[in-house]
Amino acid sequence: MHKIVVLGSSFAALTAIKTLRKQGWKEPIVLVAPRPVIFFYPSLIWVPAGLRNEQDLTVELEDFFDRNDVEYHRGKVSGLNQETRQVLLETGDKIHFDSLIIGSGGRFIKKLPGIENIYTPCEGYQATKAYSDQLNKLDSGTLAFGFSANPKEPTAVRGGPIFEFLFGIDTLLRKQKRRDQFKMVFFNPSKSPGQRLGEKAVKSLLKEMDKRGIETHLGHKMKSFTEDKVITEGGEVHSDLTLFMPGMTGPAWANASGLPLSEGGFIQANEHCKVEGFERIYVAGDSGSYPGPDWIPKQAHIADLQAEAVAKNILAEIKGQPITATFKSELVCIVDTLNSGMLIYRDPKRMVLMPKTVMFHWAKRWFEGHYLKAYR
């Protein structure tokens, strides 16, 4: 029997499992993760408005595991033993694998002094809910929003959700008839934030900020945070409440994996999502660093595309066939504003920006239900 072990319960990990079964794989699949759930991070943007809660965004995976004949093993990965082909867990457990799919996600770089004073929404529901609770307590003040990249791997950035929180909270405050009590500021070390989306999209986003009376503090590297300030090399921004998305790096256990890492700390993969030099070890999603255009995003859509390629290549390698599957370099993003949204699409040949409309807001809400249906 050939055992495939999957690390994580992320978009990439679960899509790899679905693809393996669709491709006809009948032998054992073991999934290792701290909890048997998938959490739908993209919809955290609706938590401040009360449109989503933790239960809405968390799907238990027992039924999915049963339908796909997956053995679940609870645990956190601490490293790999290449010689024995074992996944090492913090509990001391060791899980043998014949093939390995790494889909355990990345993590945020939390090195800036005073970063404990800010809220990082994509860390999960609790961080987002804590921010929402603080916002509800304020009668007035200054709200700051920003993001940054990994300086050693500029593509390792997740800025889209910050734009959505920025515009969504502006819309929320207007609905509550208290927008005039708040100053809103967007800060970023780049003079053209969101370049992965394309120049046309950056201009549109900045124009939307200007239209909404949102101030900007651009082109200055962040130095530190305090309870009431964002301190940059170009000056200080007063803030009563700061929402900030740091740059990303690879999983903490990667340093003890013996696998090749990129300069930014991600597991290095080739165009087939294979870790070169290692037999039947693949990576998909935020854990990895991949060749391609410098605008390739860290987002669920690209993770799914990578996971499909991983599953096909693993099966080919098991059969002794050449691995040929690659993933499409593609960015699909709806920047939601709570009551509307703009669609941004990019591939190597084109960049498309479709203007703001309520249709895209409802399309994003429909996609959430459609995506999670496979796991409910």
Side-chain angles (χ1 to χ4, degrees), residues 150-163:
N150 180 334
K152 295 183 179 180
E153 194 147 345
T155 59
V157 59
R158 184 168 286 151
I162 289 295
F163 291 126

Side-chain angles (χ1 to χ4, degrees), residues 60-253:
E60 301 286 341
L61 292 172
E62 282 86 353
D63 289 345
F64 174 80
F65 292 157
D66 287 343
R67 293 195 303 270
N68 289 277
D69 192 20
V70 174
E71 177 188 338
Y72 169 65
H73 192 108
R74 184 184 298 271
K76 291 184 178 181
V77 178
S78 60
L80 300 179
N81 185 322
Q82 300 295 341
E83 293 183 1
T84 60
R85 294 184 74 79
Q86 290 177 318
V87 176
L88 310 180
L89 303 184
E90 291 182 357
T91 58
D93 290 349
K94 300 176 182 179
I95 301 175
H96 170 77
F97 64 87
D98 295 300
S99 294
L100 181 67
I101 298 174
I102 301 168
S104 51
R107 58 195 166 107
F108 293 106
I109 303 171
K110 309 282 295 261
K111 292 183 178 180
L112 283 172
I115 200 165
E116 67 275 6
N117 294 302
I118 61 92
Y119 295 86
T120 300
C122 283
E123 283 187 318
Y125 179 78
Q126 296 305 323
T128 307
K129 182 62 166 60
Y131 175 88
S132 303
D133 291 343
Q134 288 300 115
L135 178 62
N136 288 334
K137 292 177 183 178
L138 291 177
D139 294 322
S140 62
T142 300
L143 308 177
F145 302 77
F147 64 86
S148 65
N150 180 334
K152 295 183 179 180
E153 194 147 345
T155 59
V157 59
R158 184 168 286 151
I162 289 295
F163 291 126
E164 295 185 283
F165 277 106
L166 176 68
F167 297 138
I169 288 172
D170 175 88
T171 300
L172 175 64
L173 293 174
R174 292 177 188 276
K175 286 184 174 182
Q176 295 173 340
K177 300 188 184 304
R178 61 190 193 117
R179 173 64 176 89
D180 58 351
Q181 302 299 314
F182 289 88
K183 177 181 176 180
M184 298 181 68
V185 182
F186 173 75
F187 62 95
N188 192 270
S190 172
K191 291 183 179 180
S192 299
Q195 280 293 335
R196 290 201 176 20
L197 301 174
E199 184 177 347
K200 188 186 299 185
V202 172
K203 290 180 179 179
S204 180
L205 291 167
L206 293 176
K207 183 178 179 181
E208 184 70 17
M209 291 182 205
D210 184 63
K211 177 182 175 182
R212 291 170 177 261
I214 298 170
E215 298 182 12
T216 58
H217 184 81
L218 305 177
H220 305 293
K221 183 179 178 182
M222 271 78 80
K223 294 175 63 178
S224 63
F225 300 95
T226 69
E227 289 184 358
D228 60 358
K229 290 178 185 177
V230 177
I231 302 172
T232 78
E233 292 181 349
E236 299 178 353
V237 176
H238 174 76
S239 175
D240 296 290
L241 196 56
T242 303
L243 200 67
F244 176 66
M245 204 86 80
M248 298 182 68
T249 187
W253 61 266

Side-chain angles (χ1 to χ4, degrees), residues 312-375:
K312 293 173 183 177
N313 287 330
I314 276 188
L315 295 182
E317 192 170 356
I318 291 171
K319 296 174 184 177
Q321 299 172 351
I323 60 172
T324 59
T326 58
F327 63 93
K328 183 178 181 180
S329 297
E330 181 177 70
L331 182 153
V332 182
C333 176
I334 292 178
V335 178
D336 188 80
T337 68
L338 195 59
N339 58 6
S340 64
M342 66 177 74
L343 175 66
I344 301 166
Y345 176 85
R346 190 174 187 180
D347 65 20
K349 295 181 179 179
R350 57 184 170 160
M351 184 271 166
V352 178
L353 172 65
M354 298 189 70
K356 194 173 58 166
T357 170
V358 66
M359 176 183 70
F360 292 133
H361 168 75
W362 287 105
K364 189 155 188 163
R365 293 178 69 164
W366 173 85
F367 180 77
E368 173 201 76
H370 173 74
Y371 193 94
L372 291 178
K373 186 178 180 180
Y375 305 111

Side-chain angles (χ1 to χ4, degrees), residues 281-330:
I281 296 181
Y282 290 79
V283 60
D286 290 352
S287 297
S289 178
Y290 313 89
D294 61 6
W295 48 261
I296 289 180
K298 293 287 187 188
Q299 65 168 194
H301 176 64
I302 200 76
D304 283 340
L305 296 179
Q306 291 163 349
E308 291 172 1
V310 163
K312 293 173 183 177
N313 287 330
I314 276 188
L315 295 182
E317 192 170 356
I318 291 171
K319 296 174 184 177
Q321 299 172 351
I323 60 172
T324 59
T326 58
F327 63 93
K328 183 178 181 180
S329 297
E330 181 177 70

